[in-house]
Amino acid sequence: MSNLQRENGNDFPQNRSLSNLSYNQPNKKGGSNKTMNNAMVKQALKESFLKLDPRKMIKNPIMFVVEIGFLITLILSFAPDAFGASQIAPWFNITVTFILLFTVLFANFAEAIAEGRGKAQADSLKNSKKDIMANRFMPNGEIEVVPSTNLRKGDIVLVTQGEMIPGDGQVIEGLASVDESAITGESAPVIKEAGGDFNSVTGGTRVVSDSIKVRITSDPGESFLDRMISLVEGAERQKTPNEIALNTVLTSLTLIFMIVVVTLPFFTKYLGFSLEIPVLIALLVCLIPTTIGGLLSAIGIAGMDRVTQFNVLAMSGKAVEAAGDINTIILDKTGTITFGNRMASEFIPVGDEKIQDLVQWTAISSIKDETPEGRSVLVLMKQKGLKYDDQVAADGQFIEFKAETRMSGMDLKNGLQVRKGAVDAVKQWVIAKGGSIPKDLDEKANMIAKEGGTPLSVACENKIYGLIYLKDTVKPGMRERFEQLRQMGIKTVMCTGDNPLTAATIAKEAGVDEFIAECKPEDKIEVIKYEQSQGKLVAMTGDGTNDAPALAQADVGLAMNSGTTAAKEAANMVDLDSNPTKIIEVVSIGKQLLMTRGALTTFSIANDIAKYFAIIPAMFMIAIPEMGVLNIMRLDSPMSAILSALIFNALIIPLLIPLAMKGVTYKPMKSNALLRRNLTIYGLGGMLVPFIGIKLIDLMVGLFI
């Protein structure tokens, strides 16, 4: 980090209070946040039975064990002596069979409901994926009309007003308004133009005005829409590392309890009595963590679904989960913290130079500059009525802006070289040509920087003629958003190519914790690596090709849908609304996912304690009357105790589905306070609820047996 200019932002009040955020609201498109609707429930019920296929059930070892128990009791219901002489009443076998069946079905229903939302959105996206005809340019320059499925990477197509964009690509010529509502749900069209970071277009969107030339960047079946459909319908969902670890622990507990139950008959035989197979199966089902086992997959699917509701496409559940543990967020200034539309607002001559000379060379350097900043220079000249001779630039070679040189310009036919760019870069270029630096250049550049603007220096050969004042503004509400991140314990670092004075002004206005000025693409990667070397997880937002390496390096890379294809391919999340501050919602959803899984795991384990007090005394009281002291719930009989525990075990899964789908409400607080809150609500609550529930069920069961 020694070679980077890294500074702290302004000081912030420590006791600032903000209202707690709730991340369970309807999305801004007005879509419903209902956990279930009739069509979804019907489909989920159908899927619940289809998922009984052992080939599917074995993916969830806990519920697979319950299904095996169901099959055994089903056999015993019709052949009571199938596994040896049995003295248990047939009705008990049938009752246990039905309870176990519903336990498995409820677990399948939870997963199917979670998958239902993603499939509904995938179906909606598939409707927008049609066979579109494309106007493809042939090598001789003529246009041929071909189906979009015939397009390949590198093909160039023309899309005019009213036509659908046939595939993912980049605008290489022109400017147009594009309706992206099929992808983002946002009705307002967006401007797509050649040059800059807003040249990426998505197949299936519609041009509503003007026309553009697009270079196709994906082959059929590999488009952004294809990937999006596959991801939202869960076809590519992979379990996260934490989910795999928890699943391993739960599977290990299941194996331990299976060993206990299998060996238990040897001990009971020694005590002089025997336990029937249905009773042993009931004991096993109550001992193993069926509640969290039945909901674990649904929690993971619902977590990705909540991200999708905010119009963020997560490429993996791992990315969502990692967002919950983020310590540092790296933010690009332009287009992220500021609006990004830096426009020329003033021409300032330096030394003894005249305004007309400055305007002439500024125009020459900008005539072929397709960036928004370059076009704004010519617009400002037109607004001010300033004249220039464009014939001077005829047949000249345009020099594009590069992050390494931080300059652009023209090499004229007569040998003259004109450059505009960062003040220090232009100064070095002029000095290398043997020129001198005007005495008031730094003073006027610093004046622009102190006002939050960006100074661009303009030079021809070895002479600097003046400065272009580019203005950019901080997006409203940024300070409050960064304060929310600070409450979550997350540090914000702004990276910008601006000089230190401009960067400091923007950093102070936005309220970031730190900023890095004159930052090049490789510097962003170094910042991320430095933070990661300190044991921190880092998130990065960006939209440009130069952000792609940093997005790939970050633990969570959030690319803007309006950005370049390279940025979207490098990131593991894409924001369809192109709102960089949405990383706050992503972080909150990640934390919510981790909290929900932890809360329901705590609740499940606490549940089991109550079930032990219900079923174990009931099994042993006949042979060991002294164990009656453990029957603290005063359950009616051993049979009713076993059935009550089993029924509660089955019913608690569907009762927790809304919580698994909606997620535990996240409120920024310290980890110790969060732990106490979870232990109180889901630990103590998880112990009390089963005692009450099992007792109530026992009272009803006692009426029938």
Side-chain angles (χ1 to χ4, degrees):
M1 292 297 294
S2 57
N3 63 325
L4 294 179
Q5 186 158 5
R6 183 171 185 153
E7 305 179 39
N8 291 324
N10 59 317
D11 295 330
F12 300 93
Q14 297 301 310
N15 297 318
R16 183 171 186 174
S17 62
L18 290 174
S19 60
N20 289 323
L21 290 176
S22 174
Y23 294 96
N24 299 313
Q25 304 300 320
N27 65 36
K28 66 184 184 61
K29 304 294 180 296
S32 172
N33 194 41
K34 286 184 179 180
T35 304
M36 293 175 267
N37 58 45
N38 290 336
M40 194 182 297
V41 169
K42 288 180 181 178
Q43 182 61 31
L45 287 172
K46 179 181 176 182
E47 290 289 330
S48 300
F49 285 93
L50 295 176
K51 288 177 179 286
L52 289 174
D53 184 343
R55 292 170 296 182
K56 296 180 180 179
M57 289 298 301
I58 201 168
K59 295 178 182 178
N60 186 338
I62 297 171
M63 300 317 298
F64 182 66
V65 168
V66 179
E67 185 178 41
I68 295 298
F70 154 70
L71 293 174
I72 293 173
T73 56
L74 179 64
I75 294 170
L76 291 173
S77 298
F78 294 98
D81 299 329
F83 300 102
S86 174
Q87 300 182 13
I88 203 161
W91 66 264
F92 184 83
N93 291 337
I94 295 171
T95 305
V96 171
T97 299
F98 274 103
I99 295 172
L100 296 183
L101 173 62
F102 279 105
T103 302
V104 178
L105 287 176
F106 287 149
N108 289 347
F109 180 78
E111 185 176 50
I113 276 289
E115 292 173 345
R117 285 182 181 176
K119 288 180 179 178
Q121 187 177 11
D123 290 340
S124 175
L125 290 170
K126 286 174 182 176
N127 290 334
S128 66
K129 187 174 180 286
K130 302 171 182 176
D131 191 10
I132 305 165
M133 300 307 291
N135 303 312
R136 181 172 63 183
F137 282 93
M138 299 173 66
N140 61 6
E142 294 182 1
I143 292 178
E144 62 173 344
V145 179
V146 297
S148 59
T149 50
N150 289 3
L151 296 177
R152 296 293 183 271
K153 276 184 184 178
D155 285 347
I156 296 175
V157 297
L158 176 68
V159 190
T160 58
Q161 182 175 342
E163 293 181 343
M164 301 284 284
I165 296 174
D168 293 356
Q170 292 180 320
V171 180
I172 59 173
E173 186 179 311
L175 176 149
S177 295
V178 178
D179 175 9
E180 295 187 326
S181 57
I183 306 297
T184 67
E186 182 60 63
S187 58
V190 294
I191 301 298
K192 297 292 184 177
E193 56 188 338
D197 292 334
F198 298 95
N199 64 352
S200 174
V201 291
T202 306
T205 56
R206 184 184 298 275
V207 173
V208 294
S209 71
D210 304 292
S211 64
I212 47 177
K213 262 188 191 178
V214 176
R215 179 185 290 113
I216 300 299
T217 57
S218 65
D219 290 326
E222 299 175 359
S223 70
F224 180 73
L225 190 57
D226 289 316
R227 286 190 295 147
M228 186 174 177
I229 291 169
S230 183
L231 286 163
V232 297
E233 68 182 356
E236 294 186 10
R237 192 188 97 83
Q238 296 179 346
K239 290 183 178 180
T240 64
N242 283 347
E243 191 176 349
I244 292 171
L246 179 57
N247 205 44
T248 302
V249 171
L250 297 177
T251 303
S252 300
L253 285 173
T254 302
L255 287 172
I256 291 170
F257 285 127
M258 282 184 67
I259 294 171
V260 170
V261 170
V262 169
T263 56
L264 194 58
F266 296 101
F267 292 97
T268 57
K269 187 176 182 180
Y270 174 78
L271 293 172
F273 72 100
S274 61
L275 292 175
E276 298 289 346
I277 290 177
V279 175
L280 289 172
I281 291 173
L283 173 63
L284 176 62
V285 171
C286 286
L287 287 176
I288 63 178
T290 49
T291 305
I292 187 63
L295 294 172
L296 187 59
S297 181
I299 294 169
I301 296 170
M304 289 189 69
D305 178 63
R306 282 193 292 276
V307 175
T308 305
Q309 286 180 31
F310 278 93
N311 258 10
V312 174
L313 179 62
M315 301 303 177
S316 69
K318 183 179 179 181
V320 180
E321 195 171 85
D325 290 325
I326 288 299
N327 307 108
T328 304
I329 295 181
I330 310 295
L331 300 127
D332 189 39
K333 186 207 78 172
T334 305
T336 303
I337 294 173
T338 64
F339 280 108
N341 53 345
R342 297 189 306 174
M343 300 298 176
S345 62
E346 192 176 351
F347 301 113
I348 304 173
V350 294
D352 298 326
E353 302 303 326
K354 297 178 180 179
I355 184 70
Q356 186 55 46
D357 291 332
L358 170 60
V359 167
Q360 175 65 21
W361 294 120
T362 301
I364 297 304
S365 66
S366 305
I367 282 177
K368 295 186 179 181
D369 188 348
E370 288 294 323
T371 65
E373 291 89 345
R375 286 195 290 270
S376 73
V377 169
L378 301 181
V379 171
L380 180 63
M381 289 180 184
K382 186 176 181 180
Q383 290 173 347
K384 290 181 174 290
L386 299 171
K387 305 295 183 182
Y388 58 91
D389 183 5
D390 58 358
Q391 292 302 311
V392 176
D395 298 325
Q397 181 183 358
F398 176 65
I399 307 300
E400 291 186 0
F401 175 88
K402 292 183 179 179
E404 293 76 17
T405 62
R406 293 188 294 149
M407 294 187 300
S408 64
M410 288 280 286
D411 287 349
L412 303 179
K413 192 174 182 181
N414 59 10
L416 291 178
Q417 293 182 314
V418 186
R419 294 291 184 272
K420 74 170 186 291
V423 174
D424 59 332
V426 173
K427 282 165 64 175
Q428 293 175 11
W429 185 75
V430 167
I431 291 171
K433 285 182 168 289
S436 59
I437 308 301
K439 294 180 180 179
D440 59 346
L441 177 65
D442 288 337
E443 179 186 346
K444 291 183 176 180
N446 289 341
M447 178 190 69
I448 294 172
K450 285 179 181 178
E451 292 178 4
T454 302
L456 291 185
S457 187
V458 180
C460 178
E461 288 300 316
N462 60 356
K463 184 184 288 188
I464 296 178
Y465 286 86
L467 299 165
I468 306 170
Y469 185 168
L470 294 180
K471 269 189 177 178
D472 196 1
T473 53
V474 174
K475 293 178 179 178
M478 292 303 297
R479 178 177 286 274
E480 288 74 17
R481 302 283 273 173
F482 291 140
E483 178 63 27
Q484 292 164 13
L485 286 172
R486 200 169 291 111
Q487 284 188 353
M488 296 178 191
I490 297 171
K491 179 174 68 176
T492 52
V493 180
M494 180 185 80
C495 291
T496 175
D498 291 336
N499 63 64
L501 281 173
T502 301
T505 302
I506 297 294
K508 184 176 181 180
E509 186 178 347
V512 295
D513 296 314
E514 296 179 6
F515 68 89
I516 300 171
E518 299 177 340
C519 183
K520 297 187 287 295
E522 55 268 26
D523 293 333
K524 292 178 184 177
I525 299 177
E526 189 174 339
V527 174
I528 293 171
K529 287 182 177 178
Y530 173 79
E531 292 290 332
Q532 290 172 334
S533 70
Q534 306 300 305
K536 298 177 181 178
L537 290 181
V538 183
M540 163 82 187
T541 65
D543 56 7
T545 301
N546 62 340
D547 293 326
L551 287 167
Q553 177 66 38
D555 299 287
V556 176
L558 179 65
M560 303 299 101
N561 190 41
S562 62
T564 61
T565 302
K568 288 189 281 188
E569 289 180 348
N572 48 25
M573 289 189 185
V574 177
D575 177 20
L576 302 178
D577 295 328
S578 301
N579 176 11
T581 62
K582 203 182 286 182
I583 188 70
I584 296 174
E585 277 79 12
V586 172
V587 168
S588 298
I589 291 169
K591 288 183 180 295
Q592 188 182 46
L593 172 63
L594 296 174
M595 283 178 58
T596 302
R597 189 183 294 143
L600 290 182
T601 301
T602 304
F603 188 85
S604 177
I605 293 172
N607 254 253
D608 292 340
I609 295 174
K611 287 184 282 185
Y612 301 160
F613 276 98
I615 199 169
I616 293 177
M619 290 171 50
F620 290 94
M621 276 193 308
I622 298 173
I624 311 173
E626 291 80 6
M627 290 197 72
V629 297
L630 294 178
N631 185 20
I632 58 179
M633 286 186 271
R634 295 293 179 259
L635 301 178
D636 186 64
S637 67
M639 289 298 185
S640 72
I642 294 170
L643 292 178
S644 298
L646 270 182
I647 292 170
F648 177 85
N649 191 64
L651 291 178
I652 197 65
I653 294 176
L655 291 175
L656 289 175
I657 288 176
L659 182 61
M661 295 288 291
K662 187 178 180 183
V664 175
T665 301
Y666 171 70
K667 296 181 179 179
M669 62 177 69
K670 293 183 179 179
S671 56
N672 289 338
L674 189 62
L675 179 61
R676 284 195 300 271
R677 176 175 175 266
N678 279 353
L679 287 177
T680 302
I681 297 174
Y682 299 101
L684 183 59
M687 291 182 63
L688 294 177
V689 169
F691 276 99
I692 298 170
I694 291 173
K695 180 60 180 177
L696 291 174
I697 294 171
D698 179 72
L699 291 174
M700 289 185 284
V701 170
L703 298 175
F704 298 97
I705 62 173

